[in-house]
Amino acid sequence: MPTDTDLTPEGNTGLIDTDYEIGQDNVEASVGPFDFDIHNPVFVVSGLTIVLFTTLTLLFPETAGAFLFWLRPELTSSFDWFFLTAANIFVLTVVGIMISPLGRIRLGGPDATPDYSYAGWFAMLFAAGMGIGLMFFGVSEPISHFSAALADNAGAPESWAPLAGAAGDEEAARRLGMAATIFHWGLHPWAIYAVVGLSLALFAYNKGLPLSVRSIFYPIFGERIWGWPGHVIDVLAVFATLFGLATSLGYGAEQANAGLEFLFGIPVSETSKVTLIAGITGIALISVVAGLDAGVKRLSEINLVLAIMLLAFVILVGPTLAILSGFVANLVAYVTELVPLSNPFGREDDNFRQDWTAFYWAWWISWSPFVGMFIARVSRGRSVREFIFCVLLIPSIVSVLWMTAFGGTAITFVTQGFEAIVDAPTELRLFTMLSELPLAAITSFVGIVLVIVFFVTSSDSGSLVIDTITAGGKVDAPVAQRVFWCLFEGLVAIALLLGGGLAALQAAAVSTGLPFAAVLLLGCVALVKGLRAEPRD
């Protein structure tokens, strides 16, 4: 894992000539046995704001819940066109860079070598990127889109079907439902992550700037990024990261709690969800203290092995031929429907476009500082083309396989008459589907373990990233700061769950994703400028 002392580019370098030194605006202090090395004012502003938000939400949960419940649909209905347009721009930007001569540039300089093997690298970026989401939505989303597309009112204003739906046509509804699901988990979210990750890696490892979001904008703002323009960017990145993580932790708590009730009869309640978040946050604290290599990397590799085992089990024991043939069919359906689903204008599927797609893009954008910086920290030594290919295409293909195996199996069971999957609550659909396969108790338990470990890896890697931002780009700041952020990730998730459940969590992700989408669009311009200025052999 790179530290502050070994980020210097190797070989023919394009270092930016600046007098700024990493940590020069930091405040170093000790409180008892705890050391602090925090950026002023980024840590102070973001820390106090989040503490105030958490306190008020816990003190006035009904008022906070009502406001957040109103906020989410208001933002997604008013700015759906903006979210869809921005996500399309991110895809076009990274694909254009990948196929251009700029793809030959190596992160860290021409002589840099990768810090991690492909296996370790991919395990970390996949676990951080969307682990909990795949577990939560792997069955529920394909079923939701399939049911909506098949319904008699598909295409009507009140319908939730993607595009015009396919009323009464099971095969067309399956095709459209899977295409819509893969659309939300394919190229677009990973392009968002790639923009942030590539930008951070370039300006840190090749340009010699701090590993902080503000560094991306040096080609636009110049030395002003060390002042208030940079402070605002970093504070927005902290807010987006924290609330995006809180949304995922809330989903994880809902599903883990539902799985525990399904297996062991532990009743679902606010108390049990809070207890679950608190317990898993405690486990995440242990991993945070252990550090990236001993904590996050090891847990990510364990998660990857368990996820592969569960995926292989469903493929081998479930409708194997349907899954294998469906993989190709779903990939074709995704490519065929990609342009219509990406279109921001002139559509009539408002419920799907606003409440599904716009929310997803806001959620991915709010996650992007966290996932992007985490990917950047473990991607030194990769070429730009290799980085984009692996970050963009490989996870997208894995997502197609995962959704085909879990969602496709669930749809097959539904078409055979097993309606319990459709009737089950969203967070319980995975376990309901697994109950139709052999060894249901074992696979359901593995599913719960996966959710919990994904929960832990998201929390501790998010803490590392937020700590880096609020420490002025230092990647080896004192452990006490990471502990602080890990604790508050759990507290924010608890506060939002008590203040309005998943609707409140979703509203928080959308409200922070909206301004950060504008920041990332400007970041695309800065990224291209930075790559074009990089020395090339």
Side-chain angles (χ1 to χ4, degrees), residues 251-489:
Y251 279 126
E254 291 275 355
Q255 188 171 35
N257 206 167
L260 291 172
E261 182 187 38
F262 181 80
L263 276 183
F264 306 114
I266 300 174
V268 174
S269 66
E270 287 188 346
T271 302
S272 62
K273 293 173 188 175
V274 169
T275 302
L276 193 60
I277 292 175
I280 296 176
T281 299
I283 299 172
L285 281 174
I286 298 173
S287 181
V288 161
V289 173
L292 185 65
D293 290 322
V296 181
K297 180 175 179 288
R298 190 169 299 165
L299 285 172
S300 298
E301 290 172 345
I302 292 171
N303 246 13
L304 185 62
V305 171
L306 287 175
I308 291 173
M309 290 173 59
L310 185 60
L311 176 63
F313 176 84
V314 173
I315 293 174
L316 293 174
V317 178
T320 306
L321 291 179
I323 292 172
L324 296 179
S325 61
F327 174 78
V328 177
N330 294 338
L331 196 56
V332 171
Y334 168 55
V335 173
T336 303
E337 302 294 342
L338 182 59
V339 172
L341 289 168
S342 304
N343 177 28
F345 305 106
R347 291 167 56 178
E348 297 181 357
D349 54 348
D350 288 350
N351 286 334
F352 172 80
R353 190 180 69 258
Q354 295 170 2
D355 290 290
W356 279 101
T357 304
F359 163 68
Y360 265 130
W361 290 177
W363 188 17
W364 300 143
I365 289 168
S366 69
W367 258 58
S368 64
F370 149 51
V371 179
M373 185 174 292
F374 187 75
I375 293 174
R377 289 184 66 173
V378 298
S379 298
R380 184 175 180 273
R382 307 289 178 183
S383 72
V384 169
R385 183 169 293 119
E386 181 184 20
F387 177 96
I388 295 176
F389 181 85
C390 290
V391 172
L392 183 64
L393 297 181
I394 292 178
S396 296
I397 292 173
V398 173
S399 295
V400 174
L401 180 60
W402 185 278
M403 292 300 182
T404 299
F406 286 83
T409 298
I411 291 174
T412 297
F413 288 162
V414 170
T415 58
Q416 292 173 352
F418 186 60
E419 292 289 336
I421 301 177
V422 178
D423 299 333
T426 302
E427 63 273 13
L428 199 57
R429 284 178 172 174
L430 169 65
F431 305 109
T432 306
M433 186 274 287
L434 291 174
S435 70
E436 281 296 284
L437 298 174
L439 305 176
I442 295 175
T443 55
S444 295
F445 182 74
V446 171
I448 295 172
V449 172
L450 271 170
V451 171
I452 290 174
V453 182
F454 275 131
F455 199 144
V456 173
T457 53
S458 296
S459 180
D460 57 14
S461 51
S463 303
L464 291 169
V465 167
I466 296 176
D467 182 42
T468 299
I469 298 173
T470 56
K474 288 191 172 183
V475 297
D476 53 2
V479 174
Q481 294 169 206
R482 280 177 266 159
V483 170
F484 171 84
W485 289 114
C486 186
L487 286 172
F488 266 90
E489 284 165 18

Side-chain angles (χ1 to χ4, degrees), residues 129-204:
M130 51 182 57
I132 289 177
L134 285 179
M135 294 299 296
F136 191 91
F137 290 103
V139 171
S140 66
E141 186 174 351
I143 285 294
S144 295
H145 297 328
F146 168 75
S147 301
L150 186 63
D152 292 337
N153 70 337
E158 68 276 10
S159 170
W160 288 79
L163 302 177
D169 188 335
E170 275 191 358
E171 190 53 41
R174 175 197 289 265
R175 179 181 175 280
L176 188 56
M178 292 304 303
T181 300
I182 295 166
F183 172 62
H184 290 150
W185 296 87
L187 295 178
H188 284 76
W190 286 99
I192 295 168
Y193 296 160
V195 165
V196 180
L198 180 59
S199 300
L200 287 167
L202 175 72
F203 285 96

